[in-house]
Amino acid sequence: MSRMLVWLRNDLRLADNPLFHFSTPPESLLCLYVLDEAWLTPLPGLGASRIGPARLQFLWQSLIALRGELLKRGSDLLVRIGDPVDAVAELVVEHHIDEVRVRADAGWEEKQDTVQLAECLGGAVTLSRQDTGTLLDEAALPMAVDDLPASFSAFRRRVERAWSVPGAVPAPVTLPDWPAGAPRGFPPLDKVCGRAAAWAPDRRGGFAFSGGETAGWSRLDHYLWESGAVARYKQTRNGLAGADFSTRLSPWLSQGCLSARQVHDAVHAWETRHGANDSSYWLVFELLWRDYFHWAARQEGAALFGGRELAEPGEGFRAWRDGRTGVPFVDAAMRELATTGWLSNRARQNAASYLVHDLGGDWRLGAAWFEHCLVDHDVASNWGNWRYLAGVGRDTRPRALDVHDQAGRYDPDGSYAALWAPVVAAHGEEP
């Protein structure tokens, strides 16, 4: 009798998820997500947890939605809070698991967890690592991960010479039975984190994210087919406010409620009907950027995070974090981040540049604060973008932005700064 455990991490969907596709289905299947308790503990110096209320609420919504889809197919979901390796190893022993499947994540900690689990399991249990979520699998890259170019431009040129993105795979119709006697379900969010359960984004953000595969598809359909906003993406992507200047797909991609291939297929379908243009190409271009950061994180390992403990925040960092630097464009961005869990790409770049290049702040503190706040935090993209802008690591060219010039170009009438000028007392002093 074959018994399988699928250890879910950033892949909370059934469609286009190789973890749920079997050449020979197992006789029983246990689906597990473990919320690392370390994510809920305030980081020394920063005073904030790794996962903030916006992302934790989105995660819980995604888990609830995934469980519903699993139940429809005869399966279920178990969510535990604790040490991921201990939780998986315990269930393997208790339920006589023969194989564990897990995503080959970009994050260093996730990779170390997988290595540690392999050591715990020994040779008695098969541990299968699957590429999932990127446009290209590792085997399809035109270079080894260790030979990844230092710049995205060089990576893109090599990939685009002759690349073919595999099509997304439909969700399975049925799944193997749940193991007899295995626990299932998970605690309500208010028992995990009251702040996350009560989280509500500021309405000025103009958009409310809701976790889950169906919600992700709804957003994708709206952006492509209902609004047609994809046709203007290249012209609007540097916008600051509103619902459709950006795809806003990043939270669903970061939790794996959507895959990059699903988005790629949908854009291609739109192009087939309406014709390709610079904007539809640019959306795929951004997906390739995401792939690059994923493989760069795999290459860099622990170096992605800077190699030292976080410094003690100074007054400059605290002023930046709280949106009280006195620079309206920057302060608006930080207030939006704190009260919505999201920022436009243009606002992220300016806020990050100001901390690093104007205030002389530690880029790692900025990356850690974004990790806490962002509903769409992705370890490879967030930390990779901060390193890129700070000019450390792979590409050391300086990338300081003149935030006053940027404000003049992207917020010429000051409407974005004015939108976020008041401090919203209802959200407290800190997000």
Side-chain angles (χ1 to χ4, degrees), residues 5 41 44 56 58 68 104 130 146 161 178 192 206 215 219 269 272 321 372-373 385 390 418:
L5 185 152
T41 304
L56 185 53
F58 186 90
Q130 306 277 341
D146 287 345
R161 285 174 190 166
W178 192 256
V192 179
R219 174 58 188 175
T272 299
R321 176 197 65 190
H372 169 76
C373 291
N385 268 301

Side-chain angles (χ1 to χ4, degrees), residues 39-226:
W39 290 6
L40 302 171
T41 304
L43 293 171
L46 190 66
S49 59
R50 294 270 298 275
I51 186 169
R55 181 158 51 102
L56 185 53
Q57 184 185 91
F58 186 90
L59 168 62
W60 232 247
Q61 292 169 347
S62 301
L63 291 168
I64 291 168
L66 177 61
R67 188 185 188 198
E69 294 302 315
L70 288 166
L71 286 168
K72 291 177 186 177
R73 292 162 174 81
S75 187
D76 207 335
L77 177 65
L78 171 64
V79 176
R80 288 196 165 167
I81 302 168
D83 180 275
V85 175
D86 289 346
V88 175
E90 177 184 320
L91 288 164
V92 165
V93 173
E94 288 180 356
H95 300 286
H96 310 288
I97 300 297
D98 301 304
E99 180 181 352
V100 174
R101 284 188 174 187
V102 66
R103 163 185 164 121
D105 260 310
W108 171 251
E109 292 176 353
E110 290 83 356
K111 181 179 179 180
Q112 293 306 106
D113 282 349
T114 307
V115 170
Q116 185 181 345
L117 179 63
E119 293 172 351
C120 290
L121 299 179
V125 178
T126 301
L127 179 59
S128 303
R129 303 168 180 85
Q130 306 277 341
D131 285 331
T132 165
T134 51
L135 290 175
L136 299 176
D137 292 337
E138 183 175 356
L141 293 175
M143 76 289 290
V145 172
D146 287 345
D147 297 327
L148 198 75
S151 73
F152 169 70
S153 296
F155 171 77
R156 179 177 63 85
R157 285 193 297 270
R158 293 186 62 181
V159 167
E160 288 186 338
R161 285 174 190 166
W163 72 322
S164 177
V165 178
V169 180
V173 176
T174 61
L175 288 168
D177 293 336
W178 192 256
R184 57 179 77 197
F186 48 98
L189 183 55
D190 60 359
K191 301 299 182 184
V192 179
C193 177
R195 290 183 64 211
W199 168 260
D202 191 304
R203 292 181 180 179
R204 289 174 295 177
F207 192 87
F209 294 101
S210 180
E213 198 169 354
T214 299
W217 273 107
S218 178
R219 174 58 188 175
L220 182 58
D221 285 344
H222 169 83
Y223 193 78
L224 295 179
W225 303 106
E226 295 172 10

Side-chain angles (χ1 to χ4, degrees), residues 211-273:
E213 198 169 354
T214 299
W217 273 107
S218 178
R219 174 58 188 175
L220 182 58
D221 285 344
H222 169 83
Y223 193 78
L224 295 179
W225 303 106
E226 295 172 10
S227 71
V230 62
R232 304 179 295 276
Y233 175 68
K234 190 173 182 182
Q235 291 73 43
T236 65
R237 64 191 176 88
N238 283 312
L240 299 168
D244 291 340
F245 71 87
S246 166
T247 70
R248 292 188 184 254
L249 293 172
S250 53
W252 291 284
L253 286 166
S254 66
Q255 291 294 349
C257 303
L258 290 176
S259 74
R261 289 177 185 173
Q262 288 174 316
V263 177
H264 178 271
D265 284 359
V267 173
H268 181 68
W270 183 89
E271 290 177 330
T272 299
R273 179 177 297 182

Side-chain angles (χ1 to χ4, degrees), residues 340-407:
T340 70
W342 193 82
L343 270 183
S344 68
N345 179 61
R346 181 56 50 186
R348 294 184 201 205
Q349 290 188 35
N350 276 275
S353 179
Y354 190 79
L355 174 67
V356 174
H357 299 294
D358 292 81
L359 296 177
D362 187 333
W363 69 270
R364 296 168 310 122
L365 279 173
W369 183 246
F370 270 35
E371 178 173 349
H372 169 76
C373 291
L374 286 171
V375 69
D376 65 350
H377 172 262
D378 169 274
V379 63
S381 296
N382 180 53
W383 287 83
N385 268 301
W386 271 91
R387 282 167 61 85
Y388 176 81
L389 194 137
V392 298
R394 307 177 58 78
D395 191 340
T396 58
R397 289 175 291 178
R399 287 185 171 80
L401 298 177
D402 182 333
V403 297
H404 301 288
D405 175 72
Q406 290 273 304

